[in-house]
Amino acid sequence: MSRIAFIGLGNMGGGMAANLVRVGHQVAAFDLSAAALDRAAAAGCIPAASAAAAAAGVDAIITMLPAGEHVRSVYAEAVFPAATPDTLLLDCSTIDVESARAVNAHAAAAGFAMVDAPVSGGIAAADAGTLTFMVGGAADAFARAEPVLQAMGKTIVHAGGAGAGQAAKICNNMLLGASMVATAEAFVLAGKLGLDPQTFFDISSKASGQCWSMTSYCPVPGPVPTAPSNRDYAGGFAAALMLKDLKLAMAAASAAGAPVPMGAQAETLYQAFAGLGGAGLDFSAIIKLLDGSWRAPA
Ligand code: NAD
């Protein structure tokens, strides 16, 4: 058993902290939201009065926060002042590569081992303890982080040095956003050319157009019964989160001088969809923008 601080107990962090408790860790929890903190307490975490109070006297600190600015401020104001230098630091939030590298550099200068460990898998995988972790950081920090992450995930990959986890995450999600748009527009064109969606799926899912957006999150209802398209695009991976990740990818591409025309187009489309009220739906609902059937909520 280890003593672990968990800061950020939202949709993802709540389930992750509960899984740490389940395998026997003692978890000190903090969130700005009293409701999130109450849920964590019900799952067996010990509520702390502040992020700094949670971070004091533990073996590892895990953060699961919305964006780079939250991570920068929580580490600067609470984690670095309160933690002891042998504490392992793990940031599992999805944030910009620059913030991840800046916080990691600050950690290294202060004598802490730190990894960026963003996740793939969503809320259901966070609850089930089946997340995929993409980990950036030094080899010895990864070796210490792996057993902690194993309580919350089933696949843990060392992607490289500081920031490499975030780099892998945003490149993967840029590919996913572009492939969903391409899959959706293929179904729209297939329909206009008189093809039945199931027939097109049966062919393309076995042909060279096959991809995860088609076979796991098919944007038309029917061919993949578990896909969000079968429940009016509720749940799944929100278009707002896809837009967030595409924006992170565009910022990273701009800083690195990498050409990303498909990712840029996907960002434009998800920005338009979010602006028209689609932010809360699964990202496969982008097909409604493309086929002209989207009606903004009243
Ligand atoms: P969320 O908004 O549900 O949770 C974030 C939590 O952080 C909230 O409870 C909020 O109160 C808390 N918080 C914010 N600032 C804080 C501070 N200064 N101190 C303490 N708590 C603070 O978000 P989420 O869906 O759990 O996502 C968390 C991260 O995981 C994000 O970076 C997101 O991009 C990433 N992610 C989410 C999903 C998903 O499906 N939801 C999937 C993969 C990755």
Side-chain angles (χ1 to χ4, degrees):
M1 181 192 84
S2 298
R3 294 160 305 162
I4 298 176
F6 207 111
I7 302 169
L9 303 152
N11 290 322
M12 298 293 289
M16 293 164 71
N19 283 321
L20 291 169
V21 171
R22 216 163 279 141
V23 299
H25 295 303
Q26 182 182 307
V27 180
F30 180 71
D31 194 293
L32 293 176
S33 152
L37 206 48
D38 286 348
R39 279 194 299 275
C45 298
I46 303 160
S50 66
V58 293
D59 305 305
I61 298 170
I62 302 175
T63 45
M64 192 56 167
L65 297 163
E69 68 259 31
H70 308 95
V71 172
R72 283 182 188 255
S73 72
V74 165
Y75 277 82
E77 290 159 24
V79 172
F80 294 137
T84 43
D86 55 349
T87 304
L88 175 67
L89 310 179
L90 306 93
D91 178 37
C92 296
S93 327
T94 300
I95 64 170
D96 57 291
V97 176
E98 199 186 327
S99 290
R101 291 195 170 137
V103 175
N104 193 297
H106 188 154
F112 293 102
M114 179 167 188
V115 294
D116 51 289
V119 306
S120 175
I123 300 164
D127 289 344
T130 56
L131 292 166
T132 293
F133 287 91
M134 304 158 228
V135 188
D140 55 340
F142 175 74
R144 289 176 62 192
E146 199 173 13
V148 178
L149 298 175
Q150 266 158 357
M152 302 180 286
K154 69 172 190 325
T155 306
I156 297 144
V157 184
H158 190 198
Q166 300 294 350
K169 165 84 185 175
I170 60 173
C171 290
N172 178 73
N173 280 22
M174 182 181 74
L175 175 57
L176 176 62
S179 78
M180 181 56 81
V181 170
T183 301
E185 70 184 24
F187 272 101
V188 173
L189 176 60
K192 287 194 183 297
L193 297 176
L195 279 169
D196 171 64
Q198 182 68 52
T199 304
F200 176 60
F201 175 86
D202 291 343
I203 294 166
S204 196
S205 64
K206 298 281 185 296
S208 46
Q210 185 273 339
C211 64
W212 190 94
S213 293
M214 174 173 286
T215 56
S216 291
Y217 264 40
C218 185
V220 295
V224 179
T226 52
S229 53
N230 298 290
R231 36 180 207 271
D232 286 333
Y233 304 91
F237 183 54
L241 288 175
M242 173 50 78
L243 179 59
K244 172 194 167 184
D245 292 352
L246 286 166
K247 285 181 183 296
L248 291 176
M250 292 308 102
S254 167
V260 286
M262 301 288 284
Q265 189 60 40
E267 187 212 4
T268 302
L269 288 164
Y270 277 104
Q271 182 74 65
F273 189 49
L276 291 168
L281 294 180
D282 178 71
F283 78 122
S284 61
I286 195 78
I287 194 168
K288 289 176 153 297
L289 188 70
L290 300 172
D291 70 9
S293 67
W294 175 248
R295 298 289 172 268

